[in-house]
């Protein structure tokens, strides 16, 4: 007869399940309580970061220090709350695991930034007057930069590392509210890394580049994005700057008419010739088609010296939208018949001027007046700290590129965003890119728009990186008659007025090769070339007003299939929409 008790084995199983369920409930309660605390800490970090930014902007370093201390305490608390074994155990669970991992990674990044970057930055503020950055009557006191280089280097290194780690967090695998927070934090860290990296670069390079060890001369090339070239736009005007003991002056200005086409082209690389024939070596206006600014800068310097003689220590190329950034600081600008604000300067320089001033010679004169006026206002009429921020924002968009004839300086520049080079790929990050070059021979790129999507995965069992570019002509339907002939080209180069002809070059990760190429789902004739170890596929497309086309290129091989794929592109008037898609193999 049974005594009513379960067999010992069944009792043991029941007790085990009960204990496990109890432990699970306790663990869930544990991570819930700690998670609420960690999220609250991270919210306080974000709030403190906003307060700290405002305090530093106002030069209130006494007020910044306690804010920094509070940020450090909250970041350390969030890190502690999300670092215990139970939290990590939940991080390996399916579905919910990525959310726990993401919170832990965010907290760890915040903790590292607060301890390794904020302290050095506050020390910089104590050593360097952030309200003036040493500006006196248009000159920069170069002496303080040497003493702040070391703490800036520490802060820049910490923020660069934090930026890389933040980009590796898979926001798409987390719940929507957390994904939004990750993207917001990632943007903040990227912005801070860009600004501090620029300040560190300035601390290293400015003392010599601004003539601290002797006078320097620089060619300033101003690019017009309404007629696209790889690094921004066609060179519309050019000038010579003189730098000595921290004072920069505009020495002379020239027009592209001063640089007729060369009968014998300057030598350019095989990759440049493969994509653009010898045009960059013959025409000043086409030098910025060269994808690598190390080569483009040297070629621009050679053209200046060949025309005017003398010595050139470097080349600075800026595109038209840098004016918009600067004028947010310097205020309105009057040049020729125009008075521009930061909101209207781009449309005036890249569109309205062609209807208001049909004569190309008069246009060049007005562009020169605008450049000279803006340059003068930036040196004499703007808040130096705000100017540095404006220039850092423009540099972060790829709108400022610098080449130095001095090897040690060029090595540092080439490794930064200012150098205009393609960064090398790493073990877990690959770089891909899209270059746009106008073939219309006019100013129709004011009306073009782009979207660029990347997708990674496997096609036919091989690691694959897919790049999809959609290019659209948004010009009005009656562009042929409603737009000035100088804007449409008036058919001079065989392109119907209102139509846009564009060379679109897509390059992949280092070592990868194209495995599939199509345009609007069909085969299309392409050019191929190599940029270093990167394969390039280039289409020539022609779009009437309102038309759009989509180019898809898949790369397979070394570096392909990396989840973290960075996209580089020609700076456009309206920045392209960048998205990450799910891979649908075209092959």
């Amino acid at each position: 007869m049974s005594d009513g008790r379960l067999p010992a084995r069944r009792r043991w199983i029941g007790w085990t399940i009960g204990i496990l369920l109890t432990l699970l409930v306790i663990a869930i309660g544990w991570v819930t309580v700690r998670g609420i605390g960690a999220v609250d800490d991270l919210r306080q970090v974000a709030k403190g970061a906003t307060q700290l930014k405002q305090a530093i902007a106002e030069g209130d370093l006494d007020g910044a220090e306690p804010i920094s201390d509070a940020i450090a305490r909250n970041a350390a608390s969030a890190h502690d709350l999300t670092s215990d074994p139970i939290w990590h155990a939940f991080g390996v669970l399916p579905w919910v695991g990525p959310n726990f991992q993401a919170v832990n990674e965010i907290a760890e990044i915040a903790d590292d930034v607060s301890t390794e970057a904020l302290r050095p930055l506050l020390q910089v503020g104590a050593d360097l007057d952030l309200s003036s950055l040493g500006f006196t009557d248009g000159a920069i006191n170069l002496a303080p930069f040497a003493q702040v280089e070391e703490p800036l280097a520490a802060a820049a290194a910490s923020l660069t590392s934090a930026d890389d780690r933040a980009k590796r967090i898979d926001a798409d695998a987390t719940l929507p509210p957390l994904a939004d927070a990750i993207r917001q934090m990632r943007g903040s860290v990227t912005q801070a890394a860009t600004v501090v990296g620029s300040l560190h670069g300035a601390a290293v390079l400015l003392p010599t580049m601004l003539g601290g060890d002797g006078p320097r001369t620089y060619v300033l090339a101003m690019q017009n994005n309404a007629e696209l070239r790889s690094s921004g736009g066609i060179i519309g005007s050019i000038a010579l700057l003189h730098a000595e003991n921290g004072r920069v002056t505009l020495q002379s200005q020239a027009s592209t008419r001063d640089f007729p086409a060369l009968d014998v082209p300057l030598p350019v690389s095989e990759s440049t010739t493969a994509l653009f024939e010898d045009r960059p070596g013959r025409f000043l206006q086409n030098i910025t088609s060269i994808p690598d600014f190390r080569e483009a800068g040297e070629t621009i310097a050679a053209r200046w010296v060949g025309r005017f003689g003398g010595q050139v220590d470097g080349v600075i190329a800026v595109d038209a939208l840098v004016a918009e950034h600067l004028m947010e600081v310097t205020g309105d600008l009057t040049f020729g018949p125009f008075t521009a604000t930061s909101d209207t300067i781009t449309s005036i320089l890249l569109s309205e001027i062609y209807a208001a001033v049909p004569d190309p010679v008069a246009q060049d004169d007005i562009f020169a007046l605008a450049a000279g006026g803006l340059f003068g206002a930036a040196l004499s009429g703007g808040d130096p700290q705000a100017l540095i921020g404006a220039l850092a924002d423009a540099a972060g968009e790829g709108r400022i590129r610098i080449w130095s004839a001095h090897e040690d300086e060029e090595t540092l520049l080439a490794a930064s965003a200012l150098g205009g080079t393609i960064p090398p790929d790493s073990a877990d990050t690959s770089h891909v890119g899209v270059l746009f070059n106008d073939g219309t021979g006019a100013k129709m790129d004011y009306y073009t728009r782009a979207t660029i999507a990347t997708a990674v995965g496997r096609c036919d069992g091989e690691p694959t990186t897919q790049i999809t570019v959609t290019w659209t002509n948004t010009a009005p339907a009656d562009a042929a008659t409603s737009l000035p002939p100088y804007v449409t080209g008036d058919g001079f180069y065989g392109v119907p007025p209102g139509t846009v002809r564009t060379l679109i070059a897509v390059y992949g990760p280092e070592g990868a090769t194209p495995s599939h190429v199509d345009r609007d789902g069909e085969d299309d004739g392409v050019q191929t070339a190599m940029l270093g170890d990167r394969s390039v596929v280039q289409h020539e497309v022609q779009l009437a007003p309102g038309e759009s086309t989509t180019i898809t290129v898949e790369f397979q091989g070394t570096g392909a299939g990396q989840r973290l794929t960075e996209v580089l592109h020609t700076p456009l008037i309206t920045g392209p929409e960048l998205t990450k898609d799910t891979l649908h193999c075209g092959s």
Side-chain angles (χ1 to χ4, degrees):
M1 291 181 63
S2 170
D3 60 4
R5 292 181 297 174
L6 293 172
R9 183 169 179 272
R10 293 179 64 188
R11 290 200 304 272
W12 180 82
I13 292 173
W15 275 105
T16 300
I17 292 174
I19 291 170
L20 289 176
L21 287 174
T22 301
L23 290 175
L24 181 59
V25 170
I26 293 172
I28 291 174
W30 175 266
V31 297
T32 299
V33 171
R34 292 173 75 85
I36 292 172
V39 169
D40 183 63
D41 284 331
L42 290 172
R43 285 174 178 161
Q44 293 302 315
V45 169
K47 181 180 178 181
T50 300
Q51 295 170 341
L52 183 65
K53 182 178 179 181
Q54 182 177 353
I56 293 176
E58 295 172 353
D60 181 14
L61 294 182
D62 291 337
E65 188 162 352
I67 297 173
S68 174
D69 291 340
I71 290 173
R73 288 194 301 270
N74 286 308
S77 174
H79 187 200
D80 290 341
L81 288 170
T82 59
S83 299
D84 63 89
I86 296 176
W87 191 278
H88 285 300
F90 273 80
V92 302
L93 294 176
W95 190 70
V96 296
N99 295 278
F100 286 90
Q101 292 174 9
V103 174
N104 169 251
E105 289 166 352
I106 291 172
E108 185 175 353
I109 290 169
D111 190 22
D112 289 348
V113 167
S114 68
T115 56
E116 297 174 11
L118 288 186
R119 285 297 176 187
L121 285 177
L122 289 178
Q123 183 60 48
V124 168
D127 293 338
L128 183 65
D129 182 4
L130 292 176
S131 64
S132 69
L133 289 172
F135 273 71
T136 305
D137 297 328
I140 301 173
N141 180 9
L142 300 175
F145 285 98
Q147 67 193 66
V148 301
E149 189 275 326
E150 187 173 341
L152 278 174
S158 174
L159 285 166
T160 298
S161 174
D163 190 29
D164 290 341
R165 289 155 59 195
K167 289 176 179 176
R168 294 190 188 102
I169 300 175
D170 190 358
D172 294 334
T174 62
L175 295 172
L178 185 55
D180 292 341
I182 291 170
R183 294 187 183 101
Q184 182 179 10
M185 182 214 66
R186 183 181 293 157
S188 298
V189 172
T190 298
Q191 183 183 37
T194 299
V195 172
V196 175
S198 298
L199 283 173
H200 176 242
V204 174
L205 294 172
L206 281 181
T208 55
M209 292 190 72
L210 290 185
D213 294 338
R216 292 285 188 93
T217 57
Y218 297 97
V219 173
L220 176 64
M222 286 154 279
Q223 302 177 87
N224 186 330
N225 311 68
E227 189 170 348
L228 287 170
R229 298 291 185 267
S230 296
S231 64
I234 188 172
I235 296 177
S237 59
I238 195 164
L240 191 69
L241 305 179
H242 178 83
E244 187 169 2
N245 293 324
R247 185 181 298 277
V248 181
T249 56
L250 183 62
Q251 196 166 51
S252 63
Q253 289 182 273
S255 165
T256 54
R257 299 189 307 276
D258 295 316
F259 296 85
L262 298 176
D263 294 330
V264 178
L266 294 176
V268 293
S269 64
E270 291 183 8
S271 60
T272 296
T273 303
L275 293 171
F276 310 111
E277 301 175 339
D278 66 356
R279 292 190 296 274
R282 295 183 61 228
F283 299 93
L284 174 73
Q285 297 92 324
N286 286 333
I287 295 176
T288 44
S289 290
I290 299 173
D292 190 330
F293 196 71
R294 287 173 296 190
E295 179 184 355
E298 188 172 9
T299 307
I300 292 170
R303 286 302 310 264
W304 182 277
V305 172
R307 176 64 178 82
F308 295 111
Q311 176 182 323
V312 170
D313 292 292
V315 173
I316 305 166
V318 299
D319 76 15
L321 274 80
V322 172
E324 183 176 312
H325 286 284
L326 288 176
M327 286 178 61
E328 291 174 354
V329 179
T330 61
D332 297 354
L333 179 67
T334 297
F335 52 96
F338 301 102
T339 295
T341 68
S342 61
D343 293 328
T344 62
I345 184 66
T346 298
S347 62
I348 289 174
L349 290 180
L350 303 185
S351 178
E352 296 173 31
I353 190 173
Y354 303 114
V357 185
D359 180 12
V361 175
Q363 291 167 11
D364 287 348
D365 292 339
I366 292 173
F367 284 131
L369 288 173
L374 183 61
F375 183 80
L379 285 180
S380 62
D383 170 32
Q385 191 178 355
L387 284 171
I388 291 290
L391 290 172
D393 289 342
E397 296 174 5
R399 301 189 183 281
I400 302 175
R401 304 186 183 214
I402 304 175
W403 169 81
S404 174
H406 301 264
E407 187 174 349
D408 55 340
E409 296 171 355
E410 176 56 23
T411 299
L412 292 173
L413 286 167
S416 74
L418 291 172
T421 61
I422 303 173
D425 293 346
S426 63
D428 58 2
T429 304
S430 61
H431 296 84
V432 300
V434 185
L435 305 174
F436 299 97
N437 282 270
D438 177 73
T440 317
K443 301 297 184 285
M444 286 296 296
D445 286 317
Y446 184 80
Y447 299 97
T448 54
R449 300 291 184 270
T451 64
I452 303 172
T454 56
V456 297
R458 288 183 173 270
C459 292
D460 299 325
E462 296 294 327
T464 302
T465 295
Q466 184 184 77
I467 305 161
T468 304
V469 183
T470 299
W471 187 240
T472 304
N473 178 1
T474 69
D478 63 349
T481 55
S482 64
L483 297 180
Y486 193 80
V487 172
T488 65
D490 205 26
F492 186 80
Y493 292 101
V495 180
T499 292
V500 176
R501 178 189 290 164
T502 313
L503 292 173
I504 301 177
V506 180
Y507 61 82
E510 288 181 312
T513 56
S515 58
H516 173 80
V517 181
D518 73 58
R519 178 183 169 198
D520 299 324
E522 304 290 338
D523 290 339
D524 190 40
V526 298
Q527 291 174 275
T528 58
M530 297 293 296
L531 288 176
D533 293 330
R534 300 177 189 275
S535 294
V536 187
V537 175
Q538 181 165 267
H539 288 75
E540 181 178 82
V541 305
Q542 192 160 300
L543 302 175
E547 287 188 339
S548 183
T549 190
T550 298
I551 293 167
T552 302
V553 185
E554 291 172 9
F555 293 92
Q556 294 182 342
T558 305
Q562 294 282 10
R563 186 182 65 78
L564 185 53
T565 299
E566 297 285 345
V567 178
L568 307 174
H569 59 83
T570 294
L572 307 177
I573 297 171
T574 300
E577 179 185 354
L578 303 178
T579 61
K580 295 186 182 297
D581 285 352
T582 301
L583 178 64
H584 298 286
C585 301
S587 50

